[in-house]
Amino acid sequence: MIGGLLFILLKSIEYYTKIASGFVLDTNTFFTFYWLLTGFHLIHVIVGLVILFVLNRNLKTKAIEDVEASAAFWHMCDLIWLLLFPVLYLIF
């Protein structure tokens, strides 16, 4: 959960600096893809954090299916970011 919160903090700072520099959604094709891809990923991280907070609160019920489902969702977000990072920051 700490990693997800740190990601949201870093993305907020990064988004602020990009908007302040004038790089918005319609600047060019790269920034259109940048905003859409990182924005969708940010939404998934937020949803994953909500799932983890609810799961942490309800941990007393020992519902193993909920733990497995939330872990699968969180790892899907990690996998997406591992694919997006090289494309957005290293290739372009």
Side-chain angles (χ1 to χ4, degrees), residues 54-55 58-71:
V54 169
L55 184 66
N58 297 334
L59 204 54
K60 293 178 183 177
T61 62
K62 308 269 192 228
I64 194 70
E65 295 86 13
D66 294 341
V67 173
E68 290 174 353
S70 65

Side-chain angles (χ1 to χ4, degrees), residues 10-52:
L10 290 174
K11 274 291 144 193
S12 299
I13 294 168
E14 184 178 347
Y15 285 172
Y16 175 77
T17 58
K18 293 222 183 312
I19 291 171
S21 299
F23 299 118
V24 292
L25 187 65
D26 61 350
T27 300
N28 58 29
T29 305
F30 170 78
F31 279 105
T32 300
F33 284 113
Y34 169 82
W35 286 109
L36 291 175
L37 292 173
T38 59
F40 284 136
H41 184 251
L42 180 64
I43 290 168
H44 281 96
V45 170
I46 292 169
V47 170
L49 281 174
V50 169
I51 290 170
L52 288 176

Side-chain angles (χ1 to χ4, degrees), residues 2-13:
I2 292 171
L5 293 172
L6 287 174
F7 175 80
I8 292 171
L9 176 69
L10 290 174
K11 274 291 144 193
S12 299
I13 294 168

